[in-house]
Amino acid sequence: MKVEAKTCHEQTHRPLFTWTRMWAVLVLAGLLGGLSLSGSSSAGELMAPPRVHTPPGAADSADEPLGPFPGVVAPEGTYEGKNVEQPIEFPHDLHADTNKINCLYCHTYARRSAVAGIPPTSKCMGCHNVIATDRPRIKKLTEYWEKGESPPWKKVHDLPDYVRFTHERHLKKFLFDNPDMSVERVDEVCALCHGNVKKMTVARKQKPLTMGFCTRCHEANDGPFDCQKCHK
Amino acid sequence: MSLVRNFIEDWSRYRRSIDEGGFHEYEHMWGMVIDLDKCTGCNACSVACYAENNLAVVGEDKFENGQGMHWMRIERYWDEPNIGNERVRDTQEHGASFMPMMCQQCNSATCEPVCPVSAAYHTPDGLNAQIYNRCVGSRYCANNCPYRLRYFNFFSYYEDSWPSPLDMQLNPDITVRDKGVMEKCTFCVQRIRSTKNAAKMEDRQVVDGEVQTACQQTCPTSAIVFGDLLDHESDVHKLWHKHQTRLGTTKQKKDNPELRGYRLYEQLNTEPSVTYLERVRDV
């Protein structure tokens, strides 16, 4: 089993630095010195020029903002999503726009896990056992709550099983590590991939969420470009 | 000053490229050491792999046809009783030997260039990746693999391999492969990715020992060591170094015959990332 066959192309490691080869080292040093004196500050800059992205259709002048907020190039593409029949017609516009509730208040797992998650019914009832208890939708919600069930919400934004996507890393890059952003403006970050949910009643798919949609944004914002980073 | 600094930087980079077999520009270089003297052939690693990676149980008939889906398998070898004279035949090192075999994550892999759709490719962290949703099932890669470590989904195993409620135990971090897709050991890439995700969230580097593959975690004798070969403090790098195993060569030169450590079929120049610790002996 453990017999090592002899092959004709065995490689050997010769010592590469010997004093007899010092002349080669001196020539190399001279070349490098010449390069470094002729203007460039380091070899790293010569090797990798910074990637500059100008989205098609966007103006080339630097005056116009690149994305909806500084430091981010917004992904392009739209999608006409159908209205999804939900057990309760949850009004996103009333909560997030009129009453200015932060997205992360209900979708609290977005900043610390892969999935944003749907809030538990107890979170709804935290407010709604005192607020607007006479409305028909809230009465329906209270029924579910008293039965001890959660409303069978339907998934609107679904990714295929072979895709690995984490909300936390995207929020970290675009929101928490972005010095020009504050947590109050998280809805703009969400809107990059989820559309303007603030103006919708029941959430609807507005962005295609295809691989092209992801890779265009990854290219523009220097995201990872390795297949296995996102495919599992 | 920049002349001297550039020279020193380039020289150290050059020296590093020799030491690390040309993989020094990688972000990580995941590698493994399997101590065959510790391996008892108990098959726990194989079972752990089935649980971790959603491997289909194909049944006895298909297994006999060579369609088993065991990414991690224990190969068992018996020494020929006629070899050697009577006196040495019953010594300790003769008898059965076990060899855990998983994808060797070759750095110049024979499976990668033959894929017509680039589903098999090399990642910047030294992994030989297989992208399942890109695979069209040509099976060129499996035919070109000298180790026979790629497994093909000949049937829709997902339909009957996990009857309800067994489907509840499937790992959500890895795809359940469909019919017509080639699959193989990934060095538990889902664990690597989730650990790196946790490290990035805390703005730090991955610590040695943080990523454990399922087989390593289960091995009762700790025969399997996994880690980053570019991290000079990692256990796996120390073991490679201690046994004078190195990348970028087709034969491991040892100063001392006591040193173990060889890579499988390295004379084919496939550059595997797995080192087996066992004294190479002529029978």
Side-chain angles (χ1 to χ4, degrees):
Chain A
M1 158 206 176
K2 281 137 213 148
V3 184
E4 291 274 308
K6 290 273 181 201
T7 53
C8 54
H9 49 271
E10 281 174 12
Q11 291 174 7
T12 52
H13 283 276
R14 287 188 219 108
L16 275 131
F17 182 84
T18 52
W19 287 108
T20 50
R21 292 188 197 160
M22 198 57 203
W23 61 271
V25 175
L26 286 173
V27 170
L28 188 72
L31 278 173
L32 284 168
L35 272 180
S36 58
L37 290 175
S38 61
S40 74
S41 58
S42 77
E45 279 185 21
L46 276 177
M47 310 278 284
R51 196 158 37 168
V52 180
H53 176 80
T54 44
D60 287 332
S61 69
D63 304 334
E64 300 212 1
L66 280 172
F69 49 86
V72 174
V73 186
E76 295 144 27
T78 50
Y79 181 84
E80 284 295 315
K82 292 196 179 89
N83 282 325
V84 182
E85 290 267 329
Q86 299 284 7
I88 299 170
E89 287 171 359
F90 177 82
H92 277 93
D93 50 354
L94 189 64
H95 289 81
D97 195 25
T98 315
N99 290 318
K100 303 263 180 301
I101 300 174
N102 195 305
C103 305
L104 290 178
Y105 178 73
C106 297
H107 299 286
T108 177
Y109 304 107
R111 68 187 161 87
R112 57 180 187 223
S113 83
V115 290
I118 290 173
T121 319
S122 57
K123 188 158 249 170
C124 308
M125 293 310 290
C127 297
H128 280 297
N129 56 13
V130 284
I131 298 173
T133 45
D134 54 333
R135 309 287 165 82
R137 288 181 204 151
I138 306 301
K139 280 180 180 160
K140 207 170 167 185
L141 176 76
T142 319
E143 273 176 37
Y144 277 115
W145 171 247
E146 282 166 357
K147 272 191 286 181
E149 291 172 9
S150 53
W153 303 109
K154 303 250 173 52
K155 205 166 182 181
V156 179
H157 295 91
D158 196 10
L159 288 177
D161 284 347
Y162 47 77
V163 176
R164 176 189 293 115
F165 174 86
T166 58
H167 275 87
E168 54 173 352
R169 290 282 294 286
H170 287 84
L171 274 185
K172 182 176 157 70
K173 178 174 166 66
F174 291 140
L175 185 68
F176 299 117
D177 283 358
N178 192 346
D180 302 313
M181 284 298 287
S182 58
V183 188
E184 286 74 35
R185 290 170 68 192
V186 66
D187 50 314
E188 294 172 39
V189 183
C190 301
L192 290 174
C193 301
H194 292 290
N196 202 353
V197 185
K198 247 171 123 171
K199 299 289 178 195
M200 296 176 204
T201 309
V202 177
R204 205 168 61 243
K205 197 170 162 186
Q206 266 195 350
K207 302 279 180 178
L209 302 189
T210 53
M211 182 168 145
F213 179 78
C214 294
T215 49
R216 278 197 296 276
C217 187
H218 272 230
E219 191 180 12
N221 294 306
D222 265 341
F225 233 79
D226 181 29
C227 308
Q228 223 185 9
K229 286 267 158 68
C230 304
H231 284 298
K232 59 184 186 184
Chain B
M1 279 313 285
S2 71
L3 190 154
V4 180
R5 200 188 60 224
N6 280 1
F7 171 69
I8 292 170
E9 275 177 11
D10 282 26
W11 184 254
S12 61
R13 212 167 70 190
Y14 177 59
R15 287 299 312 171
R16 232 187 129 197
S17 76
I18 296 168
D19 285 344
E20 279 157 7
F23 304 105
H24 59 296
E25 300 286 358
Y26 278 17
E27 195 182 350
H28 294 282
M29 177 78 207
W30 301 109
M32 196 177 260
V33 173
I34 299 181
D35 195 334
L36 293 184
D37 289 337
K38 282 184 187 170
C39 177
T40 57
C42 70
N43 267 304
C45 48
S46 188
V47 175
C49 188
Y50 266 87
E52 171 74 20
N53 291 307
N54 300 343
L55 298 189
V57 181
V58 296
E60 207 171 327
D61 300 340
K62 289 178 186 133
F63 200 93
E64 277 183 1
N65 295 341
Q67 295 170 3
M69 307 291 279
H70 38 26
W71 287 4
M72 178 75 166
R73 63 171 192 246
I74 304 282
E75 291 193 348
R76 188 180 56 190
Y77 297 89
W78 296 102
D79 276 348
E80 292 284 332
N82 296 330
I83 293 177
N85 55 31
E86 281 298 316
R87 194 171 52 82
V88 295
R89 202 178 70 191
D90 297 327
T91 51
Q92 197 180 9
E93 61 180 20
H94 282 59
S97 11
F98 302 104
M99 181 162 226
M101 285 281 281
M102 80 294 269
C103 176
Q104 306 287 307
Q105 311 286 345
C106 308
N107 289 297
S108 61
T110 49
C111 51
E112 287 166 14
V114 293
C115 182
V117 290
S118 300
Y121 83 107
H122 220 69
T123 67
D125 43 2
L127 291 177
N128 179 243
Q130 175 78 7
I131 306 299
Y132 302 122
N133 56 320
R134 195 187 268 173
C135 177
V136 295
S138 71
R139 288 181 280 150
Y140 288 151
C141 52
N143 289 325
N144 219 30
C145 175
Y147 308 101
R148 288 289 173 270
L149 288 163
R150 285 176 160 262
Y151 303 97
F152 189 66
N153 283 276
F154 283 98
F155 299 95
S156 303
Y157 296 119
Y158 62 91
E159 284 174 354
D160 50 2
S161 203
W162 302 280
S164 181
L166 281 181
D167 54 344
M168 302 295 277
Q169 53 100 40
L170 290 174
N171 187 351
D173 292 335
I174 185 164
T175 329
V176 177
R177 277 80 54 186
D178 208 335
K179 180 180 175 177
V181 169
M182 190 61 75
E183 58 182 66
K184 66 168 196 77
C185 162
T186 58
F187 268 1
C188 285
V189 70
Q190 67 276 14
R191 293 183 175 212
I192 297 175
R193 293 285 179 260
S194 68
T195 312
K196 278 200 76 177
N197 185 55
K200 283 263 174 73
M201 284 306 286
E202 295 167 17
D203 290 320
R204 60 174 171 84
Q205 294 293 313
V206 176
V207 190
D208 178 44
E210 207 175 6
V211 188
Q212 275 193 321
T213 60
C215 48
Q216 177 197 9
Q217 193 180 9
T218 317
C219 185
T221 55
S222 309
I224 302 174
V225 179
F226 177 77
D228 186 0
L229 286 175
L230 293 189
D231 175 8
H232 285 219
E233 296 304 309
S234 68
D235 289 344
V236 70
H237 180 271
K238 283 178 188 161
L239 273 171
W240 275 59
H241 195 69
K242 185 180 158 198
H243 290 283
Q244 293 183 347
T245 319
R246 55 193 304 160
L247 291 161
T249 177
T250 51
K251 182 157 175 75
Q252 307 294 345
K253 297 268 190 299
K254 312 280 181 203
D255 291 344
N256 183 346
E258 294 286 306
L259 294 177
R260 303 168 295 160
Y262 71 101
R263 298 183 298 165
L264 220 54
Y265 287 157
E266 57 193 340
Q267 66 269 25
L268 301 180
N269 205 9
T270 49
E271 285 283 324
S273 302
V274 182
T275 292
Y276 290 92
L277 296 188
E278 171 85 322
R279 196 157 57 80
V280 179
R281 57 190 162 85
D282 294 325
V283 266

